[in-house]
Amino acid sequence: MRKPHSDDFVDKVGLAGRDSCDDQMGGTSSDAPRAKTRRDRDVVIIGGGPAGLTAAYELCKQSARHNPIVLEASDKMGGIARTETYKGFRFDIGGHRFFTKVGEVDALWHEICGADFLLRPRLSRIYYRGKYFAYPLKIGNALWNMGIYETVRIALSYLKWKVRPFQNERNLQQWVINRFGGRLFQHFFRTYTEKVWGLRCHEISADWAAQRIQNLSLSKAVINALGGANNTASLIERFHYPRLGPGMMWEHCRDRILEAGGDVRTGATVTRLHHERGRVSSVAVEDGEGTRRRLTGDSFISSMALRELVHAMDPPAPQHVREAADELKYRDFVIVTLILDHADPFPDNWIYVHSPDVQVGRIQNFRAWSEEMVPTRDRASIGMEYFCDIGSELWDMDDADLIALATQELAQLKLAPAGSVIDGTVIRQPKAYPVYDDGYRKAVNTIREWLDGFDNLQVVGRNGMHRYNNQDHSMLTAMLAARNVLGEAHDLWEVNVERSYHEEFQVEKSARPAPKAAMAGA
């Protein structure tokens, strides 16, 4: 007799009642409030990042009929938007501004975080050719740093490419040159972009630029620099930020879900999605001790990486779909947080490092985000961010060597002396950014076409859709997915494509159910 595979095992108690099975898998965070009792958990949500938690929150808020459970593999809320801690110092996995033109997302942030949602001034600069450039651009600063001769060459290059642009913008290089000219591309786009992605700019799809810096042009940047109105997202001067870091938002969100009767499980890794006849029937979940259970549901919302989702399907996806999934690539990320023996070595929230002379790509000053990110007034917490790939020399470097490298580069950039670094820690983040290379669109379309054949499975979020969404757009896909469960019909793939970044997404208030009493105080 064949020994059953561990993923095929279904606890008999779980077959009799889903809640009984749930109680044997993992657990909620110890400081989270106890969930209220509700009906069987009919909506299974994979991933406890902004998208997954937003979907659960929206379901709890809009309907008493549905009862979601969120399955998160790690022990923290927020995914890449979580907050890590080290000896009382708090830091992001990259800086996470909270800014949106999507009215409902903005309202949700304030609803969840309340008085802990701070309004912060933005100060950021670009380090290039041994000088610091204000960003957003300031004309006097840029002219002084570049010099009149180079400024004239930039202007002439811009005019040249406006007269004779690339007719077919297939890649990032062509997209940027058409809008900024060749010399500005060389100065301010090429080095940093290639450092972030590990690809040459002509190998990156134009889709990335169209999604991330749409509506931005040299003329708009100059108007902004001269003090004119500019609504471009990347040029805002203020943003919101939770008092204790972005993880605070998602910890609050988890607590609201539990108070409303939903469930959130940490240490719960989804290893299989079982399906038949165009419907997902259950997921296999492994806890931190290696115990596996199967959790059934009526609807499923996934924010797990699209490549891993395809390979987790049981029975397996068709071969051409699995091959498409294998074409999807991710860029990984290492943050080295340095503790300094003095406060505030520079005033910026963050600095972009365009210089090829150092490996660091971006530098965070966490006290500038919120004073409470740093436990004492006489210390500083500086995040040195390195973009790399799993298995690369940088990724595999010992923590002590990474801290030494970050210390040396901080001094090389003249931001703080090496001797002022008294401690440090390292966090490695896999799959930080979905890569937009030449083949990504075809691969995603192949997978999307196959997933469209399931009537109870939706994918949301950055990695869930393999789209470099901002946090607000990831949340919007999740809000719409929840409303699809409630009977509406939204195309999640339309978010951040057909709608521009600044288009207000609104739903008529009369069409929305009144919030449930359990969520009224959220």
Side-chain angles (χ1 to χ4, degrees):
M1 181 176 178
R2 181 180 68 89
K3 181 179 180 180
H5 188 280
S6 57
D7 276 351
D8 296 331
F9 176 73
V10 182
D11 191 282
K12 293 182 179 180
V13 177
L15 285 171
R18 276 173 248 155
D19 283 342
S20 298
C21 182
D22 292 346
D23 289 340
Q24 300 179 50
M25 294 190 313
T28 60
S29 299
S30 59
D31 59 347
R34 185 180 299 276
K36 296 179 181 178
T37 301
R38 294 179 70 180
R39 72 195 269 325
D40 285 349
R41 311 211 172 277
D42 62 340
V43 183
V44 177
I45 299 171
I46 305 172
L53 290 168
T54 298
Y57 185 89
E58 185 76 0
L59 283 166
C60 288
K61 182 173 181 176
Q62 300 290 5
S63 174
R65 296 184 298 106
H66 296 283
N67 194 21
I69 180 170
V70 178
L71 303 173
E72 166 57 36
S74 75
D75 61 351
K76 288 184 172 63
M77 294 292 100
I80 195 174
R82 69 189 183 276
T83 299
E84 293 281 352
T85 59
Y86 175 73
K87 297 183 179 179
F89 293 85
R90 305 174 69 87
F91 55 95
D92 295 9
I93 310 302
H96 284 82
R97 286 183 295 160
F98 287 71
F99 169 78
T100 185
K101 288 291 185 177
V102 181
E104 288 194 310
V105 170
D106 187 63
L108 184 147
W109 283 336
H110 284 84
E111 183 177 287
I112 292 173
C113 217
D116 290 321
F117 206 36
L118 308 178
L119 184 61
R120 303 297 296 170
R122 167 180 172 159
L123 176 60
S124 58
R125 288 180 293 169
I126 293 171
Y127 179 82
Y128 177 66
R129 287 188 170 182
K131 298 177 181 178
Y132 287 93
F133 291 76
Y135 186 77
L137 177 71
K138 290 181 172 57
I139 289 295
N141 171 260
L143 286 174
W144 178 264
N145 282 338
M146 297 300 296
I148 296 297
Y149 176 72
E150 186 59 31
T151 300
V152 170
R153 296 187 69 184
I154 289 171
L156 292 174
S157 175
Y158 171 74
L159 293 173
K160 168 190 172 182
W161 288 101
K162 295 305 290 183
V163 172
R164 299 184 62 183
F166 291 106
Q167 296 302 311
N168 185 10
E169 297 173 349
R170 295 186 301 273
N171 58 57
L172 173 67
Q173 180 170 322
Q174 294 169 339
W175 192 98
V176 172
I177 288 176
N178 275 357
R179 286 158 183 79
F180 294 90
R183 290 201 68 80
L184 209 56
F185 164 76
Q186 291 292 336
H187 283 314
F188 288 112
F189 287 90
R190 184 180 64 82
T191 302
Y192 182 75
T193 302
E194 292 179 356
K195 187 181 290 190
V196 171
W197 295 105
L199 297 171
R200 303 292 297 273
C201 286
H202 66 264
E203 298 174 310
I204 302 172
S205 171
D207 291 355
W208 180 86
Q211 180 172 324
R212 296 297 295 181
I213 51 177
Q214 61 179 323
N215 299 325
L216 184 61
S217 66
L218 183 58
S219 60
K220 289 183 179 180
V222 170
I223 290 171
N224 180 79
L226 293 171
N230 192 322
N231 290 324
T232 306
S234 62
L235 302 183
I236 61 168
E237 298 292 343
R238 297 189 302 170
F239 59 89
H240 280 92
Y241 188 75
R243 179 173 55 86
L244 297 178
M248 185 182 200
M249 174 72 71
W250 304 115
E251 290 159 9
H252 282 350
C253 187
R254 171 207 59 199
D255 295 347
R256 302 298 190 190
I257 293 166
L258 295 172
E259 289 167 2
D263 203 354
V264 180
R265 297 295 169 117
T266 56
T269 302
V270 173
T271 59
R272 292 283 188 275
L273 286 86
H274 302 281
H275 63 94
E276 56 183 343
R277 294 189 294 276
R279 289 184 62 84
V280 176
S281 57
S282 63
V283 294
V285 187
E286 181 177 319
D287 66 18
E289 298 179 353
T291 302
R292 292 179 178 178
R293 299 285 186 268
R294 189 183 295 190
L295 178 64
T296 59
D298 298 322
S299 296
F300 296 80
I301 298 173
S302 172
S303 65
M304 70 188 295
L306 193 58
R307 184 176 68 190
E308 278 60 42
L309 174 69
V310 168
H311 287 297
M313 301 300 282
D314 187 5
Q319 182 175 347
H320 74 284
V321 176
R322 286 181 278 128
E323 290 173 351
D326 288 335
E327 291 296 316
L328 300 181
K329 301 177 181 64
Y330 303 87
R331 188 65 163 163
D332 310 302
F333 177 90
V334 172
I335 181 168
V336 183
T337 299
L338 301 178
I339 309 303
L340 276 56
D341 65 4
H342 63 284
D344 305 324
F346 52 89
D348 309 70
N349 307 101
W350 69 92
I351 296 173
Y352 300 104
V353 184
H354 288 215
S355 171
D357 297 331
V358 292
Q359 295 186 66
V360 66
R362 193 170 55 190
I363 304 174
Q364 307 288 344
N365 175 16
F366 290 114
R367 192 198 304 277
W369 291 80
S370 170
E371 287 78 5
E372 295 190 48
M373 298 289 281
V374 182
T376 61
R377 293 182 177 274
D378 60 346
R379 294 287 184 267
S381 173
I382 306 301
M384 305 286 285
E385 300 179 359
Y386 295 87
F387 308 98
C388 58
D389 296 318
I390 291 176
S392 67
E393 180 181 356
L394 196 62
W395 180 272
D396 290 339
M397 192 178 294
D398 289 341
D399 286 4
D401 292 335
L402 280 167
I403 291 170
L405 171 66
T407 299
Q408 181 268 320
E409 293 193 341
L410 186 69
Q412 184 176 341
L413 296 170
K414 299 180 180 179
L415 292 172
S420 67
V421 177
I422 57 175
D423 203 352
T425 189
V426 176
I427 297 290
R428 294 170 176 81
Q429 176 62 49
K431 297 185 179 67
Y433 308 107
V435 172
Y436 280 38
D437 58 12
D438 288 339
Y440 100 96
R441 182 191 289 184
K442 180 179 178 181
V444 169
N445 287 341
T446 297
I447 297 167
R448 176 183 172 184
E449 182 179 358
W450 182 68
L451 291 177
D452 283 345
F454 292 88
D455 61 14
N456 69 336
L457 172 63
Q458 301 179 82
V459 292
V460 297
R462 175 181 286 188
N463 281 343
M465 305 177 80
H466 202 84
R467 300 179 72 175
Y468 192 6
N469 284 331
N470 286 320
Q471 184 174 213
D472 60 335
H473 284 125
S474 292
M475 293 173 63
L476 181 53
T477 60
M479 295 172 78
L480 297 181
R483 293 175 189 179
N484 286 344
V485 172
L486 298 176
E488 298 181 16
H490 299 282
D491 183 357
L492 307 186
W493 295 92
E494 182 182 320
V495 175
N496 206 17
V497 177
E498 298 300 329
R499 297 186 179 97
S500 72
Y501 185 87
H502 291 282
E503 181 180 345
E504 296 280 0
F505 174 78
Q506 297 291 347
V507 175
E508 291 296 328
K509 292 183 179 180
S510 60
R512 297 181 62 191
K516 301 181 356 282
M519 301 295 290

